Amino acid sequence: MSKKHQSYNFEFSEVILFLFRNWKRLLITGVSAGLIGLIASGPWLITPKFRSVCIFYPGTTNSISSALFYSNNQKTRDPLMFADQEVTEQYLQMLQSDDLGGRIIQKYKLYEHYRLDPNKLEDQKKMGKIYQENILFNRTDFNSIKVSVMDPSPEKAAEMANGIVELLDQMKHEVHHKVAKQIYDIVEKEYLSKLQFTDSIRNRLKELGAHGVYDFGNQSKGISEAQGSGHGGASLDKEKAGLTEHGGEAFMLLTLLELETENLSILRTKYEQAGVDLNAELSNVFVISNATVANFKAYPRRTIISVISALAGFVMGCVFLIGAEKFREFRQKIQP
């Protein structure tokens, strides 16, 4: 049993005796380390930062016209409905894009704010690190998105958190507007071309009307009835001749005009919808909680740092005292 005690195993009773023998030293060491941590985390050494958070739900509507103007047999998304997980991930990708990051840095003059030179490569790297540390985007458990901004200025942090959501909405609107403009130009070209074509058909029908052909069906029926009743004359013969020469073309053009008028009506609807998508502005975000100016700093947590430092000092003190005792025991063993 004595041999086991000589190996200095850490049984509970020995630990209690060790702490009892050295409690003053360990207390002084722990308190000193805690005070050092408290002093080292002060504003004179570490710049305090304040956090502001803005929470929003992404929207689901990409085409305003499709959401507002649709037939009963068409399905559409409610423009007031919140997005699902897939759309939320898409918004997170936009938030983490370099394009949006560059807009944020430029709008809020972060190089000037953090006293960095945008023309120096080293300062560009520092800005990238500061941006990643201070601006965070996360998806919450409720499928909303949280924008968290930390800054030495609480007003700046709140302004940026709210502004980032506005920039995201603006960026998504610009992407939609670019696509909507292309669609609008295509539909407009097709609509105007179809309109010109139907006008050419009407103009040709007017020309045929000058030759006495204006209603192939009724005219043919009228001529047949007149001939059957024994009525005739030069005017009827002239009308019959004109109908014989141009009747087929007139019938074809009337049939084509009816079909093209229907197509033109469909194209006009698409043209109007494309105009709505191009010119209308519908917000793509639903802000649930706007960022407010923080009253208390979020970094550094001086109390936590002080407690951790005190615990670290206590552990290091134990290690040092145990090492000192072991060293004394070793010297006693080697002494003659």
Side-chain angles (χ1 to χ4, degrees), residues 162-181:
N162 291 323
I164 287 173
V165 177
E166 294 177 1
L167 284 175
L168 172 65
D169 194 18
Q170 177 184 346
M171 179 177 171
K172 196 168 190 301
H173 178 72
E174 290 176 0
V175 173
H176 285 172
H177 186 272
K178 182 178 180 180
V179 177
K181 182 64 168 64

Side-chain angles (χ1 to χ4, degrees), residues 131-266:
Y131 183 90
Q132 292 179 355
E133 290 178 351
N134 294 340
I135 302 177
L136 301 175
F137 311 109
N138 302 103
R139 183 171 63 87
T140 69
D141 296 336
F142 302 100
N143 210 40
S144 60
I145 295 178
K146 178 172 69 174
V147 178
S148 176
V149 178
M150 291 181 62
D151 194 83
S153 169
E155 293 81 10
K156 188 82 170 180
E159 180 187 6
M160 288 178 61
N162 291 323
I164 287 173
V165 177
E166 294 177 1
L167 284 175
L168 172 65
D169 194 18
Q170 177 184 346
M171 179 177 171
K172 196 168 190 301
H173 178 72
E174 290 176 0
V175 173
H176 285 172
H177 186 272
K178 182 178 180 180
V179 177
K181 182 64 168 64
Q182 296 174 351
I183 295 174
Y184 179 82
D185 291 341
I186 294 173
V187 175
E188 182 183 41
K189 181 179 179 181
E190 291 297 319
Y191 172 72
L192 294 178
S193 176
K194 187 69 68 177
L195 183 63
Q196 183 179 5
F197 183 59
T198 54
D199 287 341
S200 67
I201 295 175
R202 291 189 178 93
N203 291 333
R204 180 54 183 165
L205 287 173
K206 289 180 181 179
E207 293 176 0
L208 293 178
H211 293 285
V213 181
Y214 51 87
D215 189 343
F216 178 79
N218 291 329
Q219 282 183 281
S220 298
K221 183 179 179 181
I223 292 174
S224 299
E225 291 177 352
Q227 289 178 339
S229 61
H231 296 85
S235 61
L236 185 63
D237 292 339
K238 181 179 180 182
E239 183 179 355
K240 183 178 179 181
L243 197 63
T244 303
E245 181 179 358
H246 303 288
E249 181 183 2
F251 179 77
M252 181 194 69
L253 289 177
L254 285 171
T255 304
L256 183 61
L257 180 62
E258 182 179 356
L259 177 63
E260 291 301 321
T261 301
E262 182 178 352
N263 293 334
L264 182 65
S265 177
I266 296 174

Side-chain angles (χ1 to χ4, degrees), residues 26-36 310:
L26 294 175
L27 179 63
I28 293 173
T29 302
V31 172
S32 299
L35 289 174
I36 292 173

Side-chain angles (χ1 to χ4, degrees), residues 281-329:
E281 295 185 7
L282 182 66
S283 178
N284 291 285
V285 298
F286 301 91
V287 178
I288 304 301
S289 175
N290 283 304
T292 58
V293 178
N295 295 321
F296 303 97
K297 66 179 184 298
Y299 172 86
R301 298 291 183 87
R302 298 184 66 189
T303 302
I304 296 177
I305 293 175
S306 179
V307 171
I308 294 176
S309 299
L311 292 175
F314 174 81
V315 173
M316 292 300 296
C318 291
V319 172
F320 177 79
L321 291 174
I322 291 172
E325 289 188 7
K326 295 291 288 183
F327 181 72
R328 284 196 300 269
E329 291 178 5

Side-chain angles (χ1 to χ4, degrees), residues 56 91-97 100 131 137 145 164 168:
F56 71 94
Y91 273 75
L92 283 173
Q93 289 294 324
M94 294 180 65
L95 285 167
Q96 295 166 358
S97 66
L100 185 63
Y131 183 90
F137 311 109
I145 295 178
I164 287 173
L168 172 65

Side-chain angles (χ1 to χ4, degrees), residues 67-92:
L68 300 180
F69 310 106
Y70 59 94
S71 59
N72 294 330
N73 60 347
Q74 292 177 326
K75 292 183 178 180
T76 185
R77 283 188 169 185
D78 185 351
L80 301 180
M81 184 175 66
F82 295 158
D84 54 18
Q85 183 174 348
E86 181 181 355
V87 177
T88 301
E89 292 295 333
Q90 294 174 358
Y91 273 75
L92 283 173

